[in-house]
Amino acid sequence: MKTVCFYFQVHQPYRMRNYHILDIENNHSYFDEEQNRAIIKKVSEKCYLPANQIIYELIQQTQGRFRVAYSISGVALEQLERFYPAVIESFQRLAQTGAVEFLAESYYHSLAIIFSPGEFREQVYKHLETLNRLFGIKPTTFRNTELAYHDYLAQQIEQMGFKAVLAEGVDWLVGENGSGKLYKASGTNNVKVLLRHYRLSDDIAFRFSSSKWQEYPLYADKWASWVRATPGPLVNIFIDYETFGEHHWESSGIFSFLKYLPQVLLSSPEIEILTPAEIANKYEPMGEFAPPHWISWADTERDLSAWLGNDMQRDAMERLYQLESRIKASQDAGLIEDWRKLTTSDHFYYMSTKHAGDAEVHNYFNPHQGAHFAYTTFMRILNDIEARLNLS
Amino acid sequence: MLGWEFPPLISGGLGVACQGIARGLAQEGVKITLLVPRYYSNPPKFLKLVSAEKILSHQPSQAIDISELLPLGSAYISPEDYENWYKKALASGSTIALLYGPTLFYEVEKFAKASEIVASKVKFDIIHCHDWMTYKAGMSAKKVSGVPLVAHVHSIENDRSPFCNPKISEIEKFGLENADLVLCVSKYTMNRVKQVYGIPENKMAVAYNGIELNCGAPLVKKPKKKRLNQALFFGRITWQKGPDYFIETAKKMLKQRSNLRFVLAGWGDKAVPLIEYVANLRLGNKILFAGFLNERELKALLHNSDVFLVTSISEPFGLVALEGLSQGVPAVISKQSGISEILTSIPSADYWDTEKFAQYAFELIDNPELGKNQIQEIWPVLKKTSWSNNGKTILSYYQKILGN
């Protein structure tokens, strides 16, 4: 028996506006309402709504044999509630099918775990509250921002009551087919680790619409045959949900691919589809997962260098967390909320100066005119935050 | 008169200075024909403006979007940057590429040719050209007409770049040697010209630039209780302006106290490396980069500032000092700037002496009365430093070389 697991990441940051030097001490709105609203509307219509509809139908058609997991960041949920509540409703409908698991993450999609375990916990609890309010659920599986993972993370979330965690299946740690097994997180009593099969995931997430790819065009049956040929009991497909309709447009055939997927997979009796929590219940760990440093699913390095790779990123992140205790001591709810929105990892991703292939990825996601612009804008905002602190 | 640019089609201070000089002279009754490489706006009334592009093509130029011209970046663009710019413009299918030659030197030659044509048709008593791009044009006009040539030095190649372009230096040297009078924007510049090109002092004279004060008395800043003090650098973020010394000064001051904000307003080739340097110092929340600001924004930023620093490594004149002071903001300026000759009561230090810069800046921040007095004291000097006085001075030099 082979178990396939699908988890989709839904995230939209509060993108910063071009915060002007003269705004400091005059204007405390840091985020581009108009742009954020427009992006939520666009992505909702191109991806979230049609993809949710397809997945709902697939669950119905297969009587729940097709199952998926979502991790929806708190800031994404918040923006969807404000700008496009129909998407929330369609996720609620999916939640009611019983075939969908929702994962927990840090509300602000931050890397708080690296800088402040206390803040990390508060952000996770806020996410749990939101999931409970919207979907009436209590997740037992955790996924950290960008799959950033280290033993320390697993230990922290075990204390918070989580049973399983997701991570990247890095070759140099577990070997080429290592993601096919379930692991126990090193340093924990019994946290189970599901590892992403990055090749099969990226076939869909990145290569699907690349006409230069030798396997182009990718049809569901071809991809399913690769799944069947993959060694190990597990095949974990972890991808950004925006893959459907946003990163690959509808015209690429990505929705047809999704529609045929359950059919071609489940036609083999030896394949089942389960969600992460179900896998953690069903399987016993076959090894221990112990990366020597922080890993993630980003870039070719699979480390934190996409967010902390240069001085600008480190300065911005360090200066931000340096303010934490004073921010919290202020008890100014608006100030605390603004500060937390700045912890979102995307702001630091925009400051990356990596080149070559990865740089293209960065540029695609970048709403500013480059890394230096992102950094100087962020620091102007931070300076205003500090000025507000000094007044309170 | 031969100029490289003229408002509103300008990329920097040279065009503004050229306009000021021409206006000052016109006020003294001098009739001016000004040749510039190209011009598309309504010409000003106080002079006759001729476009070299029209002279050479004998065609009326088509309507051209001015915004398309601005990417040229600077009147002092380097030949390498010029060629890169030209290639990009050509590749993008921009019509403007067709107006420019493939190299900056080609442009300079073209301008000289146009000058020769104009000189053969128009009668005049004196030729007055501005900086190296126009020196060849000045010489060709002199050759045709035989009238005296005045070369106006706003800056020299050694001041603009640590890597002097030998071809530019050569043109500069030749132009200055062939001029009957070399007008410098400061004594500092005069000494530099003497030092670098060996031009004898008796062939040189100083005419300080002017500034238009838009109010009769200094602006009195409203006393505002502040928890934080702000020091400003503004202008192009390039080697010549010494922005790194501003940052070194900031570093020193921040070691002593933290309720300070440093702002660099402007952009330039040093901006990106300096942003990274500040990040490396982990001072990004204290030393802010504002990016390029328009005039209104810059004024507002000046009014928020307690002091501004002019840290130029070599500044022939230093208009920014006048601009800042005219907004009522006290300053500390580098000794390596022409402007320090006029602004004798303004605290000045060698550009590398960041200790002194920090000390003076603290004094001005801690004692607002000191700053207020500084502005009161300097105001009559600013009033005198006008384009009309500049015009009077230049006219007297004209009369001298014309022998009347």
Side-chain angles (χ1 to χ4, degrees):
Chain A
M1 187 55 106
K2 189 177 288 296
T3 305
V4 181
C5 174
F6 290 101
Y7 134 66
F8 303 126
Q9 178 64 39
V10 178
H11 170 58
Q12 293 297 333
Y14 277 98
R15 292 162 190 83
M16 295 183 294
R17 69 182 181 88
N18 179 3
Y19 192 78
H20 198 276
I21 190 81
L22 294 171
D23 287 329
I24 296 175
E25 291 181 58
N26 288 314
N27 184 337
H28 310 310
S29 75
Y30 307 136
F31 305 99
D32 192 337
E33 278 285 294
E34 214 171 296
Q35 191 200 17
N36 288 322
R37 181 193 298 269
I39 289 174
I40 288 289
K41 182 173 187 291
K42 189 184 87 179
V43 183
S44 293
E45 287 168 2
K46 280 172 78 178
C47 166
Y48 302 151
L49 285 176
N52 280 7
Q53 180 61 29
I54 290 169
I55 287 179
Y56 182 79
E57 285 166 12
L58 291 172
I59 291 170
Q60 299 298 327
Q61 283 163 22
T62 59
Q63 281 95 43
R65 287 178 67 213
F66 182 64
R67 314 172 74 74
V68 299
Y70 289 103
S71 190
I72 315 175
S73 73
V75 281
L77 286 169
E78 196 176 297
Q79 292 188 80
L80 288 168
E81 272 195 276
R82 285 176 61 204
F83 302 140
Y84 221 116
V87 177
I88 297 287
E89 286 159 27
S90 77
F91 276 118
Q92 285 167 337
R93 199 160 70 119
L94 281 168
Q96 282 155 14
T97 62
V100 173
E101 182 187 346
F102 289 89
L103 314 182
E105 62 172 292
S106 62
Y107 187 94
Y108 296 90
H109 202 82
S110 72
L111 292 168
I113 184 74
I114 317 276
F115 292 88
S116 168
E119 173 62 16
F120 168 75
R121 280 176 180 240
E122 286 179 57
Q123 293 195 6
V124 176
Y125 287 133
K126 183 167 179 179
H127 193 235
L128 290 174
E129 276 166 33
T130 310
L131 292 177
N132 187 40
R133 175 172 62 81
L134 292 174
F135 307 114
I137 49 121
K138 187 177 185 309
T140 56
T141 308
F142 188 81
R143 68 76 65 186
N144 198 27
T145 304
E146 312 294 341
L147 289 197
Y149 181 91
H150 196 358
D151 296 353
Y152 182 66
L153 173 83
Q155 289 156 13
Q156 290 291 315
I157 58 144
E158 182 167 51
Q159 286 173 21
M160 298 169 81
F162 291 101
K163 308 282 182 219
V165 62
L166 312 188
E168 174 73 5
V170 251
D171 285 345
W172 57 263
L173 261 169
V174 292
E176 207 182 326
N177 296 310
S179 67
K181 297 179 218 161
L182 188 70
Y183 293 84
K184 181 180 99 74
S186 165
T188 67
N189 290 322
N190 195 21
V191 171
K192 288 165 180 168
V193 190
L194 283 83
L195 296 184
R196 186 173 89 110
H197 194 296
Y198 71 85
R199 275 179 303 274
L200 286 170
S201 299
D202 291 345
D203 286 340
I204 303 173
F206 294 127
R207 290 181 281 273
F208 182 83
S209 58
S210 165
S211 55
K212 284 178 212 150
W213 186 32
Q214 57 186 21
E215 302 292 349
Y216 180 86
L218 182 64
Y219 294 112
D221 48 356
K222 191 200 285 183
W223 187 81
S225 72
W226 296 341
V227 169
R228 275 191 291 273
T230 303
L234 299 178
V235 177
N236 298 322
I237 305 304
F238 302 166
I239 58 182
D240 279 338
Y241 202 32
E242 293 81 15
T243 298
F244 302 103
E246 169 67 17
H247 300 170
H248 304 304
W249 292 357
E250 192 183 355
S251 58
S252 70
I254 192 75
F255 285 124
S256 315
F257 180 88
L258 179 61
K259 276 181 199 163
Y260 282 101
L261 205 51
Q263 191 178 315
V264 291
L265 284 174
L266 297 169
S267 63
S268 321
E270 77 276 14
I271 288 187
E272 64 173 353
I273 299 172
L274 293 178
T275 68
E278 291 163 345
I279 289 171
N281 270 329
K282 179 177 172 175
Y283 289 95
E284 280 310 313
M286 295 166 75
E288 197 167 70
F289 188 63
H293 56 69
W294 285 95
I295 58 164
S296 82
W297 73 0
D299 296 348
T300 41
E301 291 90 340
R302 299 290 202 273
D303 57 13
L304 298 182
S305 58
W307 304 275
L308 287 164
N310 67 33
D311 277 323
M312 295 189 284
Q313 295 169 306
R314 277 178 235 132
D315 186 36
M317 197 89 88
E318 288 169 16
R319 300 291 79 72
L320 179 71
Y321 282 98
Q322 205 175 41
L323 295 178
E324 182 189 345
S325 56
R326 287 173 67 207
I327 292 279
K328 288 180 179 169
S330 78
Q331 295 185 332
D332 176 338
L335 185 56
I336 295 171
E337 178 57 26
D338 281 339
W339 177 82
R340 288 197 156 137
K341 281 191 182 126
L342 293 176
T343 64
T344 300
S345 64
D346 302 67
H347 302 311
F348 309 94
Y349 194 76
Y350 302 145
M351 300 174 197
S352 175
T353 43
K354 286 207 230 172
H355 300 293
D358 288 332
E360 287 162 33
V361 178
H362 288 236
N363 294 339
Y364 173 75
F365 286 103
N366 200 334
H368 300 296
Q369 299 150 0
H372 299 82
F373 186 82
Y375 166 70
T376 53
T377 304
F378 186 92
M379 295 319 261
R380 290 194 290 271
I381 290 174
L382 209 55
N383 195 274
D384 184 64
I385 294 255
E386 253 187 287
R388 283 165 72 189
L389 258 182
N390 291 336
L391 287 175
S392 66
Chain B
M1 187 172 282
L2 302 159
W4 197 245
E5 53 172 40
F6 199 84
L9 192 60
I10 57 163
S11 58
L14 185 62
V16 178
C18 190
Q19 182 187 42
I21 290 162
R23 187 182 284 143
L25 282 167
Q27 277 171 11
E28 296 303 309
V30 177
K31 286 203 184 71
I32 301 163
T33 301
L34 174 68
L35 180 70
V36 288
R38 58 199 68 76
Y39 199 74
Y40 309 107
S41 303
N42 288 330
K45 296 228 164 64
F46 62 86
L47 51 68
K48 190 166 181 285
L49 211 138
V50 183
S51 148
E53 180 209 327
K54 273 192 208 172
I55 299 283
L56 294 172
S57 66
H58 303 288
Q59 285 166 7
S61 66
Q62 313 127 324
I64 280 173
D65 180 6
I66 287 183
S67 63
E68 222 191 336
L69 294 163
L70 296 177
L72 195 46
S74 164
Y76 301 119
I77 189 168
S78 74
E80 294 80 17
D81 287 346
Y82 179 92
E83 280 173 46
N84 285 335
W85 170 83
Y86 179 81
K87 274 182 210 147
K88 261 190 215 153
L90 207 62
S92 71
S94 160
T95 50
I96 195 64
L98 304 172
L99 295 178
Y100 287 80
T103 73
L104 187 53
F105 298 107
Y106 180 81
E107 268 296 285
V108 166
E109 295 297 338
K110 249 171 60 182
F111 188 62
K113 183 75 205 156
S115 160
E116 195 185 309
I117 296 169
V118 174
S120 66
K121 288 181 181 161
V122 182
K123 278 253 169 290
F124 46 86
D125 303 309
I126 210 148
I127 309 155
H128 189 153
C129 58
H130 299 275
D131 273 2
W132 78 270
M133 300 80 81
T134 66
Y135 290 171
K136 283 211 164 178
M139 286 186 280
S140 62
K142 183 181 173 178
K143 211 166 145 195
V144 173
S145 63
V147 308
L149 171 65
V150 177
H152 205 129
V153 185
H154 298 262
S155 72
I156 60 172
E157 180 63 3
N158 289 55
D159 293 331
R160 287 185 295 261
S161 154
F163 322 103
C164 289
N165 183 305
K167 213 164 161 185
I168 292 178
S169 295
E170 194 190 316
I171 294 173
E172 215 156 58
K173 183 169 192 288
F174 197 59
L176 296 172
E177 281 170 354
N178 278 278
D180 299 277
L181 173 71
V182 174
L183 271 180
C184 298
V185 291
S186 63
K187 285 199 191 94
Y188 174 81
T189 306
M190 203 166 95
N191 288 334
R192 297 280 295 153
V193 171
K194 188 176 153 195
Q195 214 174 47
V196 176
Y197 294 118
I199 305 297
E201 236 171 273
N202 60 16
K203 209 178 92 174
M204 291 199 281
V206 172
Y208 293 110
N209 282 344
I211 184 161
E212 298 306 324
L213 295 178
N214 41 21
C215 51
L219 292 161
V220 181
K221 284 213 290 183
K222 283 173 242 141
K224 208 169 123 191
K225 214 175 164 237
K226 296 204 299 190
R227 281 163 192 275
L228 196 127
N229 296 109
Q230 182 167 296
L232 179 66
F233 170 101
F234 67 103
R236 276 181 299 127
I237 300 185
T238 58
W239 171 82
Q240 187 195 355
K241 307 292 179 187
D244 20 12
Y245 293 96
F246 177 77
I247 289 168
E248 291 309 314
T249 304
K251 232 168 94 180
K252 288 215 164 87
M253 292 174 74
L254 284 166
K255 274 201 183 123
Q256 293 186 46
R257 59 177 91 150
S258 65
N259 62 335
L260 299 170
R261 182 191 293 135
F262 295 85
V263 179
L264 291 97
W267 204 251
D269 56 0
K270 273 268 203 173
V272 161
L274 284 177
I275 287 169
E276 291 178 2
Y277 175 61
V278 166
N280 177 269
L281 295 172
R282 302 292 191 267
L283 287 175
N285 58 336
K286 300 286 183 192
I287 303 174
L288 302 177
F289 289 81
F292 183 80
L293 302 184
N294 65 33
E295 207 181 308
R296 186 188 55 80
E297 292 167 333
L298 185 61
K299 276 186 184 162
L301 184 63
L302 271 160
H303 295 159
N304 288 341
S305 303
D306 298 281
V307 61
F308 73 99
L309 311 183
V310 182
T311 49
S312 296
I313 287 171
S314 187
E315 187 71 86
F317 186 67
L319 195 65
V320 289
L322 295 183
E323 282 171 351
L325 289 166
S326 73
Q327 296 303 313
V329 188
V332 185
I333 59 179
S334 110
K335 281 188 173 154
Q336 286 66 38
S337 62
I339 202 73
S340 62
E341 297 159 22
I342 320 175
L343 307 176
T344 46
S345 63
I346 302 291
S348 65
D350 292 315
Y351 69 87
W352 63 84
D353 194 349
T354 50
E355 203 74 60
K356 274 246 169 67
F357 264 98
Q359 182 202 324
Y360 292 147
F362 270 137
E363 282 170 10
L364 288 167
I365 283 170
D366 292 339
N367 191 352
E369 281 304 308
L370 198 70
K372 226 186 259 168
N373 293 342
Q374 189 194 93
I375 300 296
Q376 295 288 358
E377 230 175 278
I378 214 69
W379 203 257
V381 179
L382 293 184
K383 267 180 133 169
K384 235 177 68 194
T385 315
S386 64
W387 287 118
S388 70
N389 275 342
N390 171 277
K392 285 191 184 90
T393 308
I394 293 176
L395 182 60
S396 72
Y397 291 131
Y398 280 180
Q399 286 161 345
K400 225 169 160 184
I401 46 170
L402 290 170
N404 53 10

